[in-house]
Structures are given as C-alpha cells and as structure tokens.
Amino acid sequence: MTGTLNKAVRMVAILNLGYFGIEFAVAVWIGSVSLFADSIDFLEDASVNLLIMVALGWTIRNRARLGMALAGVLLIPALATLWTAWEKFNIPIPPAPVPLTLTAAGAILVNLSCALMLARYRHHSGSLTHAAFLSARNDVLANVAIIAAGLVTAFVWNSAWPDIIVGLAIAAMNADAAREVFTAARREFAQSQISS
C-alpha cells in the first residue's frame, strides 16, 4: 500500500503546485482575497504532500512529530489571508467576478481529484495522510464558496465583501484543520510513548 500511497501523494503534490501558480496569478491580477487564500493553500498542500512522501517510512513517533509540525504549516494560509483581507479593507474594490468564478471552478476540479486520490489512504500513516485528505476535502468546500462569492458579486452585490468574507472563512477552515491534525498527532505521539 505504501507504493500506491507514494504515487498518490506525489501526483497530489504536482497538481497542487501547478494550480498554485495559476490561482496566485489570477488572485493578484483581479485583487481577490479568497483566491489569494486558496492559492496559498495550494502551495501548502503541495508542501504537505511532499513531506508525507519523505516521512512514509518513518516510525510512528517521528511521523507524529512531523504531524504536529504540519499543524503549524496549516496555519500559514490562515495568517496570510488575514493580512490580505486587512489590505483589502483599506481599498475595498470588488474582484472581477468572471475570472474569480472560472478560477475557482478549475480549483474544484483539481481539489476534487486530489481528495478522491487521498480518500482511500486517509487512515494510513496516521495524522500525515489525514492532514492531506482533510486539506483537499476542505479545499473543495472553499472553492464552492469562492464560486458563490463570484456569483453574488456579479449578480447581487457588487462589493469586495463577498470575497473578503469567503477569504476569512477559508482562513478559519484552515485553522480548524490545523487543530484537528495537531490533536491527532498528539494522540499518536502519546500512543507511541506508551508502546515503547
């Protein structure tokens, strides 16, 4: 199973790194907080999956330690989003809704593919693969919210607020995923202490 997991996390890392570049470029171009948050999340997902590849052969204790460190990595997109949202408060120009919506639709395809690839391994290797699966699953939900923000901006409320609100919600979701991963990694670490 480790060989197929290795292939899955490698493919997930490549897809995330590739779409990070696309989404980041569009986020900067249209000034979108939610796309910026999601693009940083793609970069974080690529990093998490590369670390999982490295740590697959490690002991449970060392994987648990890495899981606790990854919980900190999961907080990075949340903090970056808060900074971007703060800047957007000062210049509340709404992002262009069509590129916002189309980019988020592409992100859904990438994230759904990643979540499906990782679903069968989410309980393998403890907190590491659980972190990768949670991140991909949460990203699909975030992308649906970004599309909704684009549609609201286009047809209901031409304001920066739908984008800012979704960006902050993505930050909160990333923070909650970090908490879940840290809790699982601490539990694994405690079990490894008992069994040794």
Side-chain angles (χ1 to χ4, degrees):
M1 183 176 244
T2 303
T4 57
L5 173 58
N6 201 333
K7 286 179 186 173
V9 293
R10 184 179 326 128
M11 180 55 71
V12 168
I14 290 167
L15 286 171
N16 277 284
L17 191 58
Y19 210 77
F20 155 73
I22 293 167
E23 201 170 45
F24 184 80
V26 175
V28 170
W29 172 47
I30 66 172
S32 169
V33 174
S34 60
L35 282 184
F36 175 81
D38 202 49
S39 72
I40 298 300
D41 193 58
F42 270 111
L43 183 60
E44 170 260 321
D45 288 349
S47 303
V48 165
N49 282 282
L50 288 171
L51 287 171
I52 290 169
M53 280 176 47
V54 170
L56 279 175
W58 291 5
T59 65
I60 292 172
R61 182 178 296 172
N62 287 335
R63 285 197 314 258
R65 285 181 179 140
L66 181 60
M68 287 186 266
L70 286 178
V73 172
L74 287 169
L75 285 175
I76 293 170
L79 297 173
T81 301
L82 290 176
W83 177 255
T84 305
W86 175 253
E87 289 182 334
K88 194 71 168 181
F89 286 139
N90 297 321
I91 308 171
I93 300 169
V98 173
L100 176 70
T101 305
L102 292 177
T103 306
I108 281 181
L109 294 176
V110 172
N111 284 317
L112 192 56
S113 299
C114 292
L116 291 172
M117 280 187 260
L118 294 170
R120 67 185 280 209
Y121 305 108
R122 68 182 177 268
H123 300 297
H124 182 77
S125 296
S127 59
L128 297 180
T129 50
H130 189 64
F133 170 74
L134 276 179
S135 192
R137 182 204 65 190
N138 289 351
D139 292 345
V140 172
L141 300 174
N143 298 141
V144 170
I146 294 170
I147 289 173
L151 294 173
V152 167
T153 303
F155 300 110
V156 179
W157 185 24
N158 188 18
S159 166
W161 282 105
D163 180 58
I164 291 171
I165 290 166
V166 169
L168 292 174
I170 292 170
M173 200 163 43
N174 285 333
D176 186 58
R179 181 195 57 77
E180 283 187 52
V181 171
F182 186 78
T183 302
R186 272 185 51 185
R187 190 169 45 246
E188 281 179 325
F189 188 77
Q191 288 170 349
S192 74
Q193 297 281 75
I194 292 167
S195 62
S196 62

